[in-house]
Amino acid sequence: MKTKVLLVGESWATSATHYKGFDQFGSVTFHLGAEPLVAALRDSPFELTYMPAHETAEGFPFTLEGLAQYDVILLSDIGANTLLLPPSVWLHGRPVPNRLKLIRDWTANGGGLAMIGGYFSFQGIDGRARWRRTPVEEVLPVECLPYDDRIEVPEGFVAELAPGAEAHPIFKGLELPLPLLLGANEVVAKPGAEVLASLPASEGGHPLLVTGVHGKGRTLAWTSDVGPHWLPQPFVDWPGYAPLWRNMLGWLAGREA
């Protein structure tokens, strides 16, 4: 039986205005940010459902029964408002179930929840992701900061593993160290959480990969990206990219080898 994974977010639309002397015109483009992960999970024990950000407001389940079809949920580069303000609430002023509370309860019942870093993960750019003090933050093994939490490292950094972390199932079969990363979200590990990897001391030593538990479920925070730009192309091309993500998903589902 395949492990069913729901990836939420990792998409955006861009509106541009082009100026050519006296004249101008506009264009709109659509982008998917998780294609490296999609490729990494092909022909694997994982069945991935990729729900882009624009589909999430109405497409993300409104019931625990709807969430129960998934073993793992990944929240990646999508702010809390998308789940808090579906059209029924934002446009029509009608009450709906709080899906952040549903995620919390689904995890307590045995689900595996992860948040992946990005400009709209954790607290995000200008603090706009606003996951701080939400039911989802209750579940995560880290606390969000109350302000813009981005750590931009354009020269790159190599993560430092905690002592003994190489033996953790998430790092099984990987050639270490991890390749260069270009940024992350700053978070604070909660008491009892396990910090497996961190930024180097020269960049503050902040957590990069943290695991924890909530009720019967497992939780994980990966504070860098799933692909460019914080996770650059050489990391995607690294032979350990696919095994790393498969190991993370297996651990979250409690099906690690």
Side-chain angles (χ1 to χ4, degrees):
M1 179 183 298
K2 288 203 171 188
T3 299
K4 294 188 176 181
V5 180
L6 175 62
L7 170 62
V8 184
E10 279 300 338
S11 73
W12 64 96
T14 300
S15 175
T17 302
H18 307 258
Y19 297 94
K20 298 190 175 185
F22 183 89
D23 300 299
Q24 68 178 48
F25 68 94
S27 65
V28 176
T29 52
F30 177 72
H31 310 268
L32 292 170
E35 290 304 283
L37 179 58
V38 172
L41 297 183
R42 291 195 184 105
D43 302 318
S44 78
F46 304 97
E47 180 182 321
L48 179 67
T49 299
Y50 188 175
M51 183 179 290
H54 68 281
E55 295 179 5
T56 300
E58 293 190 275
F60 191 90
F62 284 88
T63 65
L64 277 175
E65 292 76 17
L67 291 179
Q69 64 184 299
Y70 301 107
D71 301 297
V72 175
I73 294 176
L74 306 178
L75 300 173
S76 187
D77 212 352
I78 186 166
N81 280 330
T82 300
L83 291 171
L84 290 170
L85 297 171
S88 294
V89 176
W90 177 242
L91 298 178
H92 307 295
R94 299 171 186 157
V96 300
N98 187 327
R99 290 177 287 180
L100 306 193
K101 294 180 180 179
L102 291 180
I103 292 172
R104 177 193 62 195
D105 297 344
W106 168 86
T107 307
N109 289 339
L113 178 70
M115 183 170 287
I116 300 168
Y119 273 30
F120 274 89
S121 298
F122 301 101
Q123 202 65 357
I125 187 169
D126 300 331
R128 292 182 182 182
R130 67 177 305 273
W131 289 105
R132 177 176 164 84
R133 293 183 177 176
T134 67
V136 168
E137 189 197 43
E138 290 179 36
V139 173
L140 294 174
V142 298
E143 295 178 359
C144 303
L145 302 182
Y147 43 78
D148 190 320
D149 60 7
R150 291 170 302 134
I151 304 171
E152 301 286 358
V153 189
E155 72 276 26
F157 69 87
V158 175
E160 295 183 354
L161 270 59
E166 296 92 339
H168 194 281
I170 288 177
F171 293 116
K172 181 179 179 180
L174 300 186
E175 293 185 7
L176 300 170
L178 298 176
L180 208 70
L181 293 164
L182 301 181
N185 297 90
E186 182 180 346
V187 297
V188 177
K190 291 180 179 177
E194 184 175 12
V195 180
L196 296 175
S198 303
L199 278 70
S202 60
E203 299 298 335
H206 304 293
L208 173 69
L209 176 60
V210 188
T211 61
V213 295
H214 179 76
K216 299 177 182 178
R218 293 183 173 186
T219 63
L220 181 149
W222 167 261
T223 62
S224 193
D225 215 331
V226 70
H229 78 280
W230 276 350
L231 190 149
Q233 193 61 41
F235 198 122
V236 174
D237 296 335
W238 171 54
Y241 177 86
L244 174 64
W245 288 101
R246 294 183 185 191
N247 288 351
M248 284 188 192
L249 296 176
W251 182 86
L252 281 165
R255 299 175 185 174
E256 69 271 28

